[in-house]
Amino acid sequence: MTEPARQVVTATSTNAARSITVTCTDAGAITELHFEPAVYGHGARSLAAEILRLSQRSTLLAKARRRQLLADAGLAPVLLDRLGLPFPEAVDAQLAALEDQGTPEAPRGWVRAI
């Protein structure tokens, strides 16, 4: 079995309509992205914002999973804190905050509407 520090830890989040699903690692890298063709009708900005929100949610859940794996392996809480891995109690509060703030504005990039 792989040691906890070397495992790829992921988590998956889905929107309420179950039309967008995002899987991320605890480092925030998107490993899987699925969405229904119908979401194209909501516009690129809306789609990007929802993918961003779901990726933030998935990353937070993966970090919590990583903390639990390392804690189970015997890593000291002070080291888990230094790694920036959230406490289980903090995860619920952060998830609620993500839900309360709604869908974030899509990131700005080099692409502009004409």
Side-chain angles (χ1 to χ4, degrees):
M1 186 169 172
T2 326
E3 50 188 281
R6 296 187 187 268
Q7 287 180 343
V8 175
V9 179
T10 62
T12 302
S13 294
T14 303
N15 67 340
R18 299 203 177 287
S19 57
I20 304 171
T21 302
V22 180
T23 302
C24 289
T25 67
D26 60 324
I30 296 175
T31 58
E32 288 184 50
L33 173 61
H34 299 281
F35 52 90
E36 300 293 323
V39 299
Y40 285 128
H42 299 291
R45 182 174 298 264
S46 175
L47 177 59
E50 187 64 6
I51 290 169
L52 178 62
R53 186 184 71 79
L54 291 171
S55 66
Q56 290 170 338
R57 188 177 194 288
S58 295
T59 300
L60 180 61
L61 292 170
K63 283 182 177 186
R65 208 173 272 163
R66 167 79 67 193
R67 182 182 186 102
Q68 188 60 49
L69 284 170
L70 292 174
D72 291 347
L75 197 63
V78 68
L79 295 176
L80 296 171
D81 294 343
R82 285 191 179 174
L83 288 172
L85 300 172
F87 287 101
E89 306 81 38
V91 171
D92 291 336
Q94 291 175 357
L95 287 174
L98 269 176
E99 296 302 321
D100 288 345
Q101 72 182 350
T103 303
E105 184 177 324
R108 300 215 181 266
W110 57 271
V111 178
R112 294 187 194 143
I114 320 181

